[in-house]
């Protein structure tokens, strides 16, 4: 803030009149700070596997040169680290793409139910590896909604998390529901017990007459503590104790989901109970053209 003296028409300073100029720099500083934090985090995340690769190359050149068993093991670790870097770079690129087009409404439309089936096919190896039973509940007809590639990314991120943070042999349920009014779309799922906490990670753009289709993904995994829910969609955030090892996630998945949901003017909520499981829900407004038809079919 600064005080500017006012001058009269003949350029005399009028000391009894002044203008107080207040400018708010906190939001600019916050944005700068976030950018700097993001760069520092991204660099750190990439530097860790790179440093480990450099270390293993040194070892392979040195004392592991003639030890074929050690060599195989180290090459395996190096491969995992390279894959991790690829995942990170893919997620970083995805994030920057979705951020760039967040203000451009999606132009294409895709069949939500068919998309869920495609996601299930794509994830079949991971589901089989952990013997996870995936069930899908969907209405007789679901409308065409949103950008195919982006909604696929949303589904893959949420279903992969459900698999990753669940024990072997557990069940994951996907439900497509709609058309719903906004409060129905946002209403807490009663599938989790009274201990469950719930949080909105992205609020839908509100238009009173809008109808939504919700996709809910429910797991029987480890669940998330109430205090950790608000930070879930922050970039690089992982719940305490979640390692950032070669097989672990990048911490960018839910941030990507949130941007895509925002672009679709939809909502994104999480419900979770520690030791019981989680339900992640995304709900998307039904395009006007199919709204009537969708209502008739239910
Ligand atoms: P990551 O790549 O680490 O999975 P995400 O952004 O997808 O990153 O998720 C952020 C964090 O939220 C995860 O590291 C994990 O701690 C927690 N999380 C996400 N989904 C689930 C889930 N279904 N069950 C339990 N914890 C989850």
């Amino acid at each position: 803030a600064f005080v500017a003296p006012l001058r009269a028409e003949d350029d005399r300073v009028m000391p009894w009149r002044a203008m107080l100029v207040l400018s708010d720099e906190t939001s600019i500083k916050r944005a700068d700070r976030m950018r700097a934090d993001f760069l520092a985090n991204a660099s750190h995340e990439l530097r860790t596997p790179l440093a480990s690769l450099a270390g293993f190359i040194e070892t392979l050149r040195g004392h592991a040169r003639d030890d074929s068993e050690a060599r195989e093991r180290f090459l395996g670790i190096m491969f995992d680290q390279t894959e991790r870097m690829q995942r990170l770079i893919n997620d970083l690129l995805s994030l920057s793409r979705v951020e760039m087009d967040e203000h451009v409404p999606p132009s294409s439309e895709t069949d939500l139910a068919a998309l869920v089936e495609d996601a299930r096919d794509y994830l079949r190896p991971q589901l089989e590896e952990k013997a996870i039973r995936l069930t899908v509940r969907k209405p007789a007809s679901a409308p065409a909604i949103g950008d195919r590639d982006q909604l696929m990314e949303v589904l893959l991120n949420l279903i992969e998390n459900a698999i990753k943070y669940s024990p072997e042999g557990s069940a994951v349920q996907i439900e497509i529901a709609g058309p719903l009014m906004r409060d129905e779309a946002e209403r807490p799922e009663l599938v989790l017990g009274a201990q469950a906490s719930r949080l909105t990670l992205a609020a839908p753009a509100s238009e009173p007459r809008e109808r939504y289709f919700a996709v809910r993904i429910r797991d029987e995994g480890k669940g998330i503590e109430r205090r950790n829910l608000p930070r879930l969609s922050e970039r690089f955030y992982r719940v305490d104790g979640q390692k950032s090892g070669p097989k672990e996630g990048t911490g960018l998945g839910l941030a990507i989901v949130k941007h895509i949901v925002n672009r679709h003017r939809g909502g994104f909520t999480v419900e979770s109970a520690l030791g019981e499981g989680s339900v992640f829900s995304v709900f998307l407004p039904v395009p006007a053209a199919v709204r009537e038809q969708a209502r008739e079919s239910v």
Side-chain angles (χ1 to χ4, degrees):
F2 66 97
V3 177
L6 286 184
R7 288 170 188 274
E9 271 170 17
D10 60 1
D11 213 30
R12 265 182 310 123
V13 172
M14 301 188 292
W16 61 94
R17 292 175 69 183
M19 184 165 58
L20 179 65
V21 182
L22 292 168
S23 78
D24 179 9
E25 290 188 0
T26 46
S27 62
I28 301 169
K29 284 207 177 111
R30 200 180 311 129
D32 281 349
R33 173 85 216 215
M34 276 170 66
R35 245 191 306 276
D37 281 353
F38 176 65
L39 260 181
N41 276 326
S43 315
H44 174 78
E45 295 284 335
L46 283 167
R47 200 171 55 182
T48 311
L50 260 182
S52 143
L53 277 181
F56 281 113
I57 291 170
E58 277 302 295
T59 317
L60 286 173
R61 278 176 160 169
H63 66 263
R65 188 199 295 257
D66 303 317
D67 181 344
S68 65
E69 194 191 313
R71 216 169 45 217
E72 270 315 300
R73 197 155 46 83
F74 293 162
L75 285 172
I77 302 174
M78 289 166 76
F79 183 74
D80 287 346
Q81 299 284 16
T82 328
E83 278 202 318
R84 171 165 180 74
M85 283 198 289
Q86 273 170 346
R87 246 190 348 257
L88 253 166
I89 290 169
N90 285 341
D91 279 357
L92 283 169
L93 285 173
S94 246
L95 190 61
S96 93
R97 250 195 324 264
V98 298
E99 255 188 341
M100 263 187 297
D101 64 14
E102 189 168 332
H103 303 291
V104 187
S107 51
S108 57
E109 281 168 9
T110 187
D111 176 344
L112 215 48
L115 205 62
V116 168
E117 291 305 328
D118 289 351
R120 188 223 289 259
D121 286 342
Y122 185 83
L123 293 172
R124 210 171 286 278
Q126 292 174 49
L127 288 163
E128 280 171 6
E129 197 185 323
K130 286 187 84 173
I132 288 182
R133 283 164 290 125
L134 181 83
T135 54
V136 181
R137 253 182 33 213
K138 53 187 182 215
S141 89
I145 242 174
D147 182 284
R148 184 182 197 282
D149 292 346
Q150 288 197 332
L151 294 186
M152 186 63 155
E153 204 162 340
V154 165
L155 287 175
L156 291 180
N157 268 309
L158 295 179
I159 305 170
E160 269 182 332
N161 279 350
I163 300 172
K164 211 160 43 175
Y165 303 112
S166 292
E168 285 196 12
S170 60
V172 171
Q173 288 170 287
I174 305 183
E175 183 194 51
I176 304 176
L180 307 167
M181 295 295 288
R182 176 172 167 166
D183 61 336
E184 293 172 312
E186 279 183 298
R187 186 179 299 155
E189 281 290 280
L190 298 174
V191 284
L192 294 180
Q195 298 306 313
S197 319
R198 183 170 171 282
L199 193 83
T200 297
L201 296 170
S206 59
E207 262 185 46
R209 294 189 52 238
E210 207 128 53
R211 296 287 195 286
Y212 295 87
F213 261 76
V215 183
R216 304 189 204 279
I217 291 143
R218 188 201 167 189
D219 65 54
E220 301 173 340
K222 58 208 268 182
I224 304 157
E225 254 182 285
R226 179 193 298 266
R227 67 186 172 93
N228 293 322
L229 294 182
R231 301 196 57 194
L232 283 188
S233 58
E234 270 176 35
R235 296 146 180 214
F236 296 115
Y237 179 77
R238 299 186 192 93
V239 172
D240 314 335
Q242 206 82 63
K243 296 190 302 287
S244 60
K247 294 281 188 194
E248 307 301 327
T250 60
L252 294 173
L254 297 182
I256 294 173
V257 170
K258 180 175 166 168
H259 281 290
I260 294 176
V261 168
N262 280 340
R263 182 184 181 208
H264 287 77
R265 301 172 51 255
F268 181 29
T269 65
V270 54
E271 261 180 89
S272 197
L274 214 52
E276 214 180 304
S278 312
V279 183
F280 284 84
S281 309
V282 162
F283 44 100
L284 307 166
V286 181
V290 288
R291 205 172 292 157
E292 290 309 315
Q293 175 198 340
R295 203 174 316 166
E296 278 163 21
S297 70
V298 166

